[in-house]
């Protein structure tokens, strides 16, 4: 039950944005993709979600090419939080979150949908906002609403369904204060602990290393490193990939690596 890209090339506008990229996300695993701007991180995530068709190679879920899934079937197995989700209707927060249950029409009843919505509102720390209208929210609050919405889309894996679900987050901490950045990624990592997979594109290597089981580093459209955070985050990698001089140390309390600009 793996979500994988197998030697994928992605082209757009005559340019190859991702080259021969291979990446797998296993159930129970939280994977963070890091790399400089323009490295191809979002493009590879979109290919793995099924939104972008590779020019070469194939993306699979459970060994089956994504192109073979019906849209609603795929939507019940993976949910994507884009960089800048847009919504122009004055719905209240609970109704926005309920949109995530759309692919489950005919597969769940209203009672289950209500239980899921209440659970994800609490998980995203927005239960107190449930009656507020979406346009009245701050940027950070809107981002948490959309986290709850995509969680609602794949929450059935937490309710006894044996099939792994996949949560895909594209720079999810935009517009969030430091506390909610931590809460956002901790919530995603918790989702993985229930036998699901998480793939998150992040800019902050320290935030990625704090929560991810594995780091994937992209540069110039290619996968340059893939492994546990304490093996991937090195001073030489920070210099080669990001062009910065940094010290890589181990946090005395968590045992996780962290990067300190030198």
């Amino acid at each position: 039950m793996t979500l994988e890209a197998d030697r994928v090339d992605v082209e757009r506008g005559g340019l190859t944005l991702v080259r021969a990229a291979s990446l797998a996300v296993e159930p129970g695993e939280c994977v963070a993709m890091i790399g400089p701007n323009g490295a191809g991180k979002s493009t590879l995530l979109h290919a793995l979600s099924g939104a972008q068709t590779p020019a070469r190679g194939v993306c699979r879920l459970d060994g089956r090419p994504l192109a073979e899934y019906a849209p609603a079937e795929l939507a019940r197995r993976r949910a994507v939080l884009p960089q800048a989700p847009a919504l122009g209707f004055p719905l209240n927060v609970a109704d926005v979150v309920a949109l995530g249950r759309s692919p489950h029409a005919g597969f769940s009843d209203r009672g289950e949908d209500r239980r899921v919505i209440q659970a994800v509102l609490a998980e995203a720390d927005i239960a107190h906002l449930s009656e507020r209208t979406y346009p009245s929210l701050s940027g950070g609050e809107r981002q948490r609403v959309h986290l709850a919405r995509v969680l609602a889309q794949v929450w059935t894996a937490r309710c006894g369904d044996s099939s792994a679900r996949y949560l895909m987050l594209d720079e999810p901490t935009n517009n969030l204060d430091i506390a909610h950045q931590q809460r956002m990624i901790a919530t995603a990592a918790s989702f993985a602990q229930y036998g699901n997979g998480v793939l998150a594109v992040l800019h902050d290597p320290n935030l990625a290393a704090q929560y991810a089981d594995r780091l994937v580093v992209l540069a110039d459209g290619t996968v340059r490193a893939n492994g546990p955070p304490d093996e991937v985050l090195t001073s030489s990698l920070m210099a080669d990939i990001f062009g910065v001089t940094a010290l890589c140390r181990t946090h005395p309390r968590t045992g996780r690596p962290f990067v300190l600009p030198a």
Side-chain angles (χ1 to χ4, degrees), residues 76-225:
R76 291 191 295 272
R77 294 293 307 280
R78 66 93 183 95
V80 184
L81 178 61
Q83 287 186 25
L87 181 67
F89 301 103
L91 300 174
N92 68 29
V93 165
D95 288 338
V96 174
V97 174
L99 295 174
R101 298 301 296 165
S102 299
H104 297 272
F107 291 86
S108 67
D109 58 34
R110 290 184 179 180
E112 180 182 357
D113 288 342
R114 283 194 296 269
R115 289 190 294 272
V116 168
I117 291 165
Q118 292 303 311
V120 298
L121 286 169
E123 194 77 5
D125 192 27
I126 55 169
H128 62 291
L129 301 175
S130 62
E131 298 304 318
R132 288 270 302 275
T133 60
Y134 178 83
S136 74
L137 303 178
S138 70
E141 289 169 336
R142 292 182 185 189
Q143 191 75 347
R144 287 150 55 198
V145 170
H146 286 292
L147 172 64
R149 176 180 56 79
V150 295
L151 281 172
Q153 184 177 327
V154 288
W155 196 257
T156 49
R158 300 280 292 270
C159 304
D161 191 316
S162 61
S163 298
R165 263 60 173 176
Y166 291 87
L167 186 63
M168 310 178 76
L169 310 174
D170 192 1
E171 299 184 21
T173 57
N174 289 348
N175 300 315
L176 297 182
D177 59 45
I178 188 170
H180 282 100
Q181 288 180 19
Q182 298 281 332
R183 179 69 181 263
M184 171 79 74
I185 305 304
T187 298
S190 174
F191 184 75
Q193 292 172 4
Y194 285 81
N196 302 297
V198 173
L199 178 63
V201 172
L202 298 173
H203 275 301
D204 184 349
N206 288 327
L207 186 62
Q210 183 176 351
Y211 290 100
D213 301 301
R214 187 156 48 88
L215 298 184
V216 176
V217 182
L218 266 69
D220 298 321
T222 63
V223 175
R224 301 285 293 274

Side-chain angles (χ1 to χ4, degrees), residues 7-28:
R7 295 192 60 80
V8 163
D9 287 1
V10 182
E11 298 178 350
R12 189 179 302 153
L15 299 175
T16 301
L17 303 182
V18 173
R19 298 177 180 85
S22 294
L23 167 63
V25 183
E26 304 285 345

Side-chain angles (χ1 to χ4, degrees), residues 232-252:
V232 169
L233 282 186
T234 64
S235 297
S236 60
L237 179 134
M238 295 302 296
D240 292 344
I241 302 300
F242 294 95
V244 298
T245 301
L247 301 175
C248 295
R249 296 291 185 262
T250 300
H251 195 285

